[in-house]
């Protein structure tokens, strides 16, 4: 038996990571693949039933993982982003939620014919837009900062609020308030308010304790992540004992406070927890979906399917329209936010627990809560997961679909490189710490940013214009390496480059560690002085479309340094001696090279002759 449990645990981990990798390679929503795997292992093939395999430990395990996911989500909520998003976030979290609840309850009663009590429970559950679904989608979509903040804040803030709202509705239904009005208003409601206040305090005070320990060197680096994760679980469990759903509020506030207290070294901890959350989300989605019984799927009916369609096309859009009246939110943003609202793990967990309790209490339509919520989760994950990117591009709410490049260092030759890319309509951003170094590029129409990328302000400024690749070209090799090391976790270690620090410093044993620098741009001998000298002798950057005659000449011609290959809509391939094999250009690519003046003159003359011949013909 123990080996059977171990086998399914390992299989779930492996399937989850396989789905994440396939989704990354094929640019698909990972949540959809995880959902499909869970259905395949559980209801379809009948291989995996987690609640039977794990017994009573299944539900506490799910709650613990959900708490950690919500805690990590809270660490994404920076107050500065809230100010930038403006009143839209407040409307989505304070005004839209009750409207969504009422409209959802009305739809459940009149469309799916659920009892009023069960209808209000369904409405309370579907106000939750799952951060476990939204956050991975936002990481892969280049949305404009404001609309991304709308979805992020709504998902993370509404998650615990919706769970508490569902707990309150369920408590009222279990008490049969018509018979126990005095008990509810005298005891239950005050207890809920007190538990809510305690939850907020339970999230704030430990955050200040962590800042005290971290800033006074009273916590070794090795223990920071384990202690924070353990503390989040302790807070969650303590507040959950006070009231169902209060633990989610507490861990959300705890994560949010940690971020907004700006504790030094927290970025490294965030990256560690982000990786853990990817693993936890993968496992949770497979387990919860696999635990669905065929009896639940058998209860799916035409009224439930109609209810799902009403929630998607009537309840959510109408809710957003009413909640955002009189705000500065554009009609494109209203349409987008009114459509994108995938539900996730918290909705499934709450529906499963509530449905069982209400069924035992004698509510006839309680058995339909789980099928109805499952149908909403499945349809919204698939429809919203696949449509988020295309709809955002259609409404012009994305920054750019083309791969973008950041060039650090505003010297003469890097400015020429940026101008060459900009002329080819490649999204490029030239970054430097001084305005004087950026002025030549700005005069040539190149987008520039005056910022220190190692600072919080610089990192936030760069987030507004997300980039896929970085090339550090300053004359300070150590600084280039620091920036590359800082940006590598965000962009990927294979996507940050720097001019060579010198052949001696590239020694794998005695030179600069690969973790402390970027990949070498071009050959080891192509350092800053090398490029600067070539530029002073008249070498310049030029772009050239790849044809049948030039497809095999990459890296082989004299007086020409081929550096980049631009493949529209796919990526930017940067030449590096550290690559085991170069990516070779194909027809339609654009090659960016640094060429000697005599080579450029010959090419210019050849182009003029070709143009004259065509004109004569």
């Amino acid at each position: 038996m123990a080996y059977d449990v171990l086998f399914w645990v390992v299989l779930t981990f492996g399937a989850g990571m396989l789905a994440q990798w396939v989704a990354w390679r094929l640019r698909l929503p990972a949540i959809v693949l995880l959902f499909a795997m869970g259905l395949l292992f559980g209801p379809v093939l009948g291989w995996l039933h987690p609640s039977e395999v794990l017994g009573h430990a299944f539900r506490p395990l799910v709650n613990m993982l959900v708490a950690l996911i919500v805690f990590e989500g809270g660490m994404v909520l920076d107050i500065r982003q809230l100010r930038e998003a403006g009143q839209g976030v407040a409307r989505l979290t304070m005004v839209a939620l009750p409207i969504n609840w009422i409209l959802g309850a009305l739809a459940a009663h009149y469309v799916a014919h659920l009892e009023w009590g069960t209808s209000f429970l369904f409405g309370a559950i579907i106000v939750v837009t799952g951060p476990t679904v939204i956050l991975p989608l936002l990481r892969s979509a280049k949305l404009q900062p404001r609309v991304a903040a709308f979805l992020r804040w709504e998902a993370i803030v509404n998650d615990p609020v919706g769970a508490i709202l569902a707990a309150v509705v369920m408590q009222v239904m279990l008490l049969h308030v018509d018979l126990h009005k005095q008990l509810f208003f005298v005891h239950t409601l005050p207890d809920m308010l007190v538990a809510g206040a305690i939850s907020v305090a339970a999230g704030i005070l430990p955050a200040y304790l962590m800042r005290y320990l971290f800033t006074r060197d009273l916590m070794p680096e090795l223990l920071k992540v384990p202690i924070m994760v353990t503390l989040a679980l302790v807070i969650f469990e303590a507040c959950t004992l006070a009231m169902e759903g209060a633990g989610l509020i507490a861990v959300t506030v705890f994560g949010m406070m940690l971020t907004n207290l700006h504790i030094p070294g927290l970025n490294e901890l965030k990256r560690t927890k982000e990786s853990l959350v990817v693993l936890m989300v993968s496992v949770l989605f497979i387990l919860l979906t696999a635990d669905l019984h065929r009896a639940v799927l058998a209860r799916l009916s035409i009224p439930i399917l109609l209810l799902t369609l009403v929630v998607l096309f009537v309840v959510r859009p109408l809710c957003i329209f009413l909640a955002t009246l009189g705000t500065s939110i554009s009609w494109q943003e209203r349409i987008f936010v009114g459509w994108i609202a995938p539900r996730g793990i918290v909705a499934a967990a709450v529906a499963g627990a509530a449905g069982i309790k209400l069924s035992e209490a004698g509510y006839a339509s309680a058995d339909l809560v789980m099928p109805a919520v499952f149908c909403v989760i499945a349809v919204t994950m698939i429809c919203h997961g696949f449509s988020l990117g295309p709809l955002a591009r259609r409404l012009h709410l994305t920054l750019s679909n083309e791969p973008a490049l950041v060039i650090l260092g505003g010297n003469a030759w890097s400015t020429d490189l940026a101008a060459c890319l900009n002329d080819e309509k490649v999204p490029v951003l030239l970054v430097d710490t001084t305005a004087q170094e950026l002025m030549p590029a700005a005069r040539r129409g190149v987008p520039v940013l005056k910022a220190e990328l190692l600072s919080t302000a610089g990192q936030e400024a760069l987030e507004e214009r997300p980039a896929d690749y970085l090339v550090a070209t300053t004359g300070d090799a150590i600084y280039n390496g620091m920036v590359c090391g800082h940006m590598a976790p965000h962009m990927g270690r294979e996507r940050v480059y720097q001019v060579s620090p010198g052949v001696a410093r590239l020694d794998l044993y005695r030179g600069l560690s690969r973790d402390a620098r970027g990949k070498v741009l071009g050959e080891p001998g192509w350092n800053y002085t090398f490029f600067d000298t070539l530029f002073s002798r008249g070498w310049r950057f030029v772009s050239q479309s790849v044809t049948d005659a030039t497809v095999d000449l990459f890296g082989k011609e004299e007086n020409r340094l081929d550096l980049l290959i631009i493949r529209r809509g796919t990526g930017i391939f940067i030449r590096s001696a550290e690559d085991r094999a170069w990516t070779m250009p194909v027809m339609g690519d654009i090659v960016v090279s640094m060429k000697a003046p005599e080579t450029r003159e010959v090419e210019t003359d050849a182009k003029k002759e070709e143009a004259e011949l065509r004109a004569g013909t």
Side-chain angles (χ1 to χ4, degrees):
M1 180 63 182
Y3 287 105
D4 291 339
V5 174
L6 179 61
F7 171 77
W8 285 114
V9 168
V10 172
L11 180 64
T12 303
F13 274 73
M17 291 301 96
L18 177 62
Q20 291 281 1
W21 183 81
V22 171
W24 172 77
R25 289 292 298 176
L26 301 181
R27 298 186 179 184
L28 297 173
I31 301 300
V32 176
L33 295 184
L34 295 169
F35 190 74
M37 281 192 172
L39 285 178
L40 181 65
F41 289 166
V44 176
L45 299 177
W47 291 350
L48 178 61
H49 298 291
S51 58
E52 297 177 6
V53 174
L54 299 176
H56 296 295
F58 176 65
R59 190 59 56 183
L61 175 63
V62 169
N63 292 337
M64 180 185 72
L65 294 179
V66 169
L68 292 178
I69 292 169
V70 172
F71 166 58
E72 194 273 336
M75 297 187 74
V76 181
L77 301 180
D78 195 319
I79 295 297
R80 286 169 295 195
Q81 296 176 350
L82 180 61
R83 296 193 193 103
E84 292 174 1
Q87 57 182 329
V89 169
R91 293 294 188 98
L92 291 176
T93 55
M94 298 175 63
V95 179
L97 190 145
I99 296 176
N100 201 359
W101 177 34
I102 299 300
L103 293 178
L106 292 174
H109 180 72
Y110 289 108
V111 177
H113 312 298
L114 303 183
E115 298 169 280
W116 275 116
T118 311
S119 297
F120 277 104
L121 177 64
F122 172 82
I125 293 173
I126 65 165
V127 302
V128 174
T129 54
T132 54
V133 186
I134 284 289
L135 296 182
L137 291 177
L138 292 181
R139 289 190 185 105
S140 59
K142 294 182 179 180
L143 296 180
Q144 293 177 0
R146 191 166 86 151
V147 71
F150 289 159
L151 295 177
R152 183 185 302 113
W153 277 84
E154 182 196 19
I156 297 173
V157 172
N158 282 2
D159 211 39
V161 174
I164 286 182
L165 179 60
V168 170
V169 172
M170 183 176 64
Q171 188 68 26
V172 171
M173 294 174 67
L174 292 176
L175 286 174
H176 297 280
V177 171
D178 291 337
L179 303 175
H180 301 86
K181 286 183 179 179
Q182 184 176 1
L183 177 63
F184 177 75
F185 287 105
V186 174
H187 296 287
T188 305
L189 185 58
D191 288 346
M192 289 179 179
L193 295 176
V194 171
I198 292 175
S199 299
V200 174
I204 294 175
L205 296 178
Y208 278 97
L209 173 62
M210 289 294 98
R211 186 177 72 166
Y212 179 86
L213 295 175
F214 285 17
T215 56
R216 284 166 175 77
D217 197 24
L218 298 176
M219 183 75 66
E221 295 292 328
L222 184 64
L223 293 181
K224 285 183 177 180
V225 173
I227 286 180
M228 284 181 36
V229 170
T230 302
L231 187 56
L233 291 175
V234 170
I235 293 170
F236 169 75
E237 184 59 28
C239 294
T240 301
L241 291 176
M243 183 180 70
E244 188 73 26
L248 292 178
I249 285 185
V251 293
T252 301
V253 173
F254 180 43
M256 184 175 169
M257 287 299 300
L258 287 173
T259 290
N260 288 279
L261 288 175
H262 307 298
I263 302 174
L266 203 61
N267 286 334
E268 290 78 4
L269 304 182
K270 286 181 182 179
R271 286 194 287 268
T272 301
K273 287 191 292 298
E274 284 176 359
S275 300
L276 292 176
V277 165
V278 170
L279 183 62
M280 289 186 288
V281 167
S282 304
V283 171
L284 264 181
F285 261 101
I286 292 178
L287 290 180
L288 286 175
T289 310
D291 202 51
L292 290 170
H293 293 280
R294 293 177 181 175
V296 172
L297 300 180
R299 285 195 289 271
L300 294 176
S301 60
I302 298 298
I304 288 180
L305 295 176
L306 290 176
L307 173 60
T308 301
L309 295 178
V310 171
V311 169
L312 263 70
F313 294 101
V314 179
V315 173
R316 172 71 178 185
L318 182 59
C319 164
I320 297 302
F321 173 77
L322 295 174
T324 56
L325 284 175
T327 67
S328 60
I329 299 177
S330 66
W331 66 267
Q332 294 97 332
E333 292 171 333
R334 289 182 183 180
I335 291 176
F336 185 75
V337 176
W339 170 248
I340 301 298
R343 278 68 173 186
I345 288 173
V346 173
V350 172
I356 293 173
K357 290 182 180 180
L358 294 182
S359 295
E360 295 173 351
Y363 285 92
S365 59
D367 289 340
L368 297 177
V369 172
M370 186 59 186
V373 173
F374 163 77
C375 192
V376 172
I377 292 172
V379 173
T380 55
M381 276 199 306
I382 294 172
C383 294
H384 298 167
F386 282 109
S387 65
L388 185 145
L391 179 61
R393 289 190 291 272
R394 181 77 174 178
L395 296 174
H396 305 292
L397 295 176
T398 56
L399 297 171
S400 174
N401 193 37
E402 290 293 326
L405 174 69
V406 170
I407 299 176
L408 175 66
N411 53 69
W413 62 268
S414 65
T415 298
D416 188 57
L417 172 60
C420 178
L421 294 171
N422 190 55
D423 291 341
E424 287 291 342
K425 309 302 181 185
V426 175
V428 63
L429 179 68
L430 186 65
V431 181
D432 203 287
T433 55
T434 59
Q436 183 178 358
E437 299 294 337
L438 296 173
M439 287 177 62
R443 284 194 290 265
R444 297 178 66 175
V446 177
V448 297
L449 173 64
K450 179 180 175 295
E452 172 57 77
L453 292 187
L454 295 178
S455 69
T456 302
Q459 189 172 342
E460 290 176 353
L462 196 59
E463 286 177 356
E464 297 179 2
R465 290 175 274 189
D468 302 284
Y469 304 87
L470 169 78
V471 177
T473 66
T474 75
D476 188 340
I478 301 298
Y479 177 72
N480 290 339
M482 290 176 64
V483 173
C484 289
H486 183 69
M487 300 304 299
H490 305 283
M491 295 182 176
R493 194 159 293 282
E494 297 301 308
R495 293 188 170 201
V496 290
Y497 295 78
Q498 70 176 92
V499 291
S500 175
V503 177
R505 286 185 170 182
L506 293 177
D507 185 279
L508 294 177
Y509 183 70
R510 298 179 180 83
L512 292 174
S513 169
R514 179 67 179 84
D515 293 328
R517 62 172 176 82
K519 292 178 68 175
V520 172
L521 175 65
E523 297 297 327
W526 297 1
N527 57 18
Y528 177 88
T529 304
F530 174 80
F531 283 108
D532 198 46
T533 301
L534 291 181
F535 188 84
S536 66
R537 293 176 180 175
W539 287 57
R540 296 294 183 270
F541 285 98
V542 296
S543 58
Q544 181 181 4
S545 296
V546 177
T547 63
D548 284 331
T550 61
V551 70
D552 295 324
L553 300 179
F554 184 75
K556 299 177 181 178
E557 285 193 72
E558 294 183 1
N559 297 323
R560 174 178 132 178
L561 305 180
D562 296 320
L563 288 180
L564 293 88
I565 299 173
I566 311 298
R567 192 163 294 167
R568 299 292 187 187
T570 301
I572 300 175
F573 303 98
I574 302 174
R575 179 178 174 183
S576 174
E578 295 183 278
D579 289 332
R580 295 186 177 181
W582 292 352
T583 298
M584 301 304 293
V586 296
M587 292 286 293
D589 286 352
I590 296 173
V591 174
V592 177
S593 313
M594 195 177 196
K595 290 189 175 182
E598 59 271 15
T599 306
R600 298 202 315 277
E601 291 171 1
V602 170
E603 288 185 353
T604 302
D605 293 339
K607 289 180 180 179
K608 287 182 179 179
E609 291 179 4
E610 183 180 354
E612 290 173 357
L613 287 173
R614 289 180 178 177
T617 304

